[in-house]
Amino acid sequence: MNFRLTLLFLLVPFWANSQEDKSYRIRTIAFYNLENLFDTENDTLIFDDDRTPEGKDHWTEERYNKKLDNLSRVLSEIGSHKSGSAPDIIGICEVENRKVIEDLIHHPNLITKDYGIVHYDSPDERGIDVALLYKKSVFLPTSSESHRLLLINDDDQRNYTRDQLIVGGLLDDEQFFFMVNHWPSRSGGEARSKPNRMAAAKLSKRIIDSVQRLDTDAKIISMGDFNDDPNNDSFKKILKTVGKAKQLDSMSLYNPMERLYKKGVGSLAYRDKWNLFDQIFFTENLFNPKVGNYKFWKANVFNAPYLISQKGQYKGYPQRTYAGGSYTGGYSDHFPVYMYLIKPVQGK
């Protein structure tokens, strides 16, 4: 979709010399933690018993369909106030299997977008996976791989968690790589669980490094629920992300969520504290691209008013499906995040 954009001097620093009207193509990249999108069937190989009609959550077809209604609405609207359409690329997590993803993209709110799916089953004990959705008219996948994160707990037993997904392909006519993450949780406390996220960061770094060894100019966008904030060691010491343009060099990873976090913006809340665990970061060449290529415009948290609880104990928090053990029929305990890519186009 082409989007007419007036570039004023103070709008974005790296376009300060361009003040006339220009025509741009805009693409939206989004990520959303779908908060336990399970079907209603009991899978004996995973711990999904709560999300069944007979389970603790009384997870019925009616509630499942309501969840699909809610999530599909959100996905259809992320970034649309600028792009005029649903996101072109969407990373998702906390999905039980491919079936629930198929049900989601075939919902009336999304079916006309003609999304494709890249999904692998992860070994997570609850059976939740990550996946990538893409508009078939915009992105052509040419490669994909699911990387296993091997963790050992204090009892020297395997701690099964989510894989990290990377998908390569052509976004319009440009080669891109998209990574989707759902790093280990803070269960047991932030400090105790920190080594697991440091290990996840090291795996992410190895994946990025391996792509860049083959192509030093590879355009890589990584997104996910990292269960860490932009200033945590996993980002600053392992991935070495930066949040300011002046800190960038050719090997840097730029994290636009760092600026948002410093302003107090969050994607989830716990005990009246906001965190920005949901993030999107990318290689430097999307901040300073070659002439005519896609470039980063801006990033944000999608926190439309209908996604926010308006009353009760969790007033101001994301309106989730269950709260305090009771069904509330909401959306997710996370807000989605998104970023825009733009490139100039010829003509009007």
Side-chain angles (χ1 to χ4, degrees), residues 32-33 63 65-66 91 136 144 196 228 253 263 295 308 328 333:
Y32 197 13
N33 179 327
R63 292 183 175 184
N65 289 329
K66 173 66 171 175
K136 296 176 185 176
S144 66
N196 291 338
D228 265 344
L253 295 171
K263 290 183 175 181
K295 63 165 58 176
I308 303 171
T328 56
D333 54 348

Side-chain angles (χ1 to χ4, degrees), residues 68 102 160 191 219 331:
L68 293 175
E102 293 277 3
Y160 293 94
K219 295 185 281 285
Y331 300 81

Side-chain angles (χ1 to χ4, degrees), residues 260-279:
L260 295 174
Y261 182 66
K262 289 178 179 178
K263 290 183 175 181
V265 177
S267 59
L268 73 158
Y270 180 67
R271 293 181 177 176
D272 295 330
K273 179 183 183 297
W274 282 93
N275 293 100
L276 190 49
F277 291 170
D278 305 272
Q279 302 179 53

Side-chain angles (χ1 to χ4, degrees), residues 153-168:
N153 63 25
D154 294 338
D155 298 322
D156 291 328
Q157 294 179 331
R158 173 84 179 273
N159 182 3
Y160 293 94
T161 188
R162 282 76 61 179
D163 292 348
Q164 295 183 18
L165 173 66
I166 183 165
V167 181

Side-chain angles (χ1 to χ4, degrees), residues 18-211:
S18 179
Q19 299 181 44
E20 73 269 23
D21 283 352
K22 287 189 177 181
S23 185
Y24 284 84
R25 174 177 293 142
I26 184 167
R27 298 297 182 200
T28 308
I29 316 300
F31 173 81
Y32 197 13
N33 179 327
L34 302 184
E35 191 204 14
N36 297 321
L37 181 57
F38 282 75
D39 60 29
T40 61
E41 299 176 10
N42 184 21
D43 186 337
T44 58
L45 299 179
I46 59 174
F47 298 137
D48 69 343
D49 298 48
D50 289 347
R51 285 295 171 102
T52 60
E54 298 78 23
K56 177 176 68 69
D57 293 337
H58 304 292
W59 191 240
T60 62
E61 283 292 328
E62 181 181 4
R63 292 183 175 184
Y64 174 63
N65 289 329
K66 173 66 171 175
K67 180 88 167 176
L68 293 175
D69 290 344
N70 288 348
L71 296 177
S72 61
R73 176 189 175 183
V74 179
L75 292 178
S76 72
E77 294 180 2
I78 298 172
S80 61
H81 65 293
K82 294 294 186 184
S83 68
S85 182
D88 302 283
I89 303 288
I90 308 173
I92 55 175
C93 75
E94 292 202 12
V95 292
E96 183 183 13
N97 49 43
R98 187 179 181 94
K99 174 186 177 297
V100 300
I101 307 173
E102 293 277 3
D103 288 347
L104 181 63
I105 66 171
H106 290 120
H107 188 279
N109 287 334
L110 294 177
I111 192 167
T112 60
K113 313 305 178 187
D114 195 25
Y115 282 112
I117 300 170
V118 181
H119 165 262
Y120 293 83
D121 286 314
S122 288
D124 181 87
E125 292 175 348
R126 289 198 296 137
I128 54 174
D129 308 325
V130 302
L132 188 81
L133 310 181
Y134 60 92
K135 286 182 178 175
K136 296 176 185 176
S137 61
V138 172
F139 182 69
L140 175 65
T142 56
S143 65
S144 66
E145 190 170 358
S146 191
H147 292 264
R148 196 129 296 176
L149 176 60
L150 298 176
L151 300 175
I152 304 298
N153 63 25
D154 294 338
D155 298 322
D156 291 328
Q157 294 179 331
R158 173 84 179 273
N159 182 3
Y160 293 94
T161 188
R162 282 76 61 179
D163 292 348
Q164 295 183 18
L165 173 66
I166 183 165
V167 181
L170 296 175
L171 180 67
D172 296 317
D173 57 348
E174 291 184 38
Q175 178 74 44
F176 272 81
F177 293 88
F178 297 99
M179 294 179 62
V180 188
N181 302 263
H182 186 191
W183 288 3
S185 75
R186 294 191 172 194
S187 177
E190 178 185 354
R192 184 177 180 182
S193 60
K194 178 179 176 178
N196 291 338
R197 290 183 299 283
M198 296 293 277
K202 290 175 182 177
L203 174 59
S204 286
K205 186 69 166 62
R206 288 197 298 271
I207 296 169
I208 292 170
D209 287 348
S210 67
V211 173

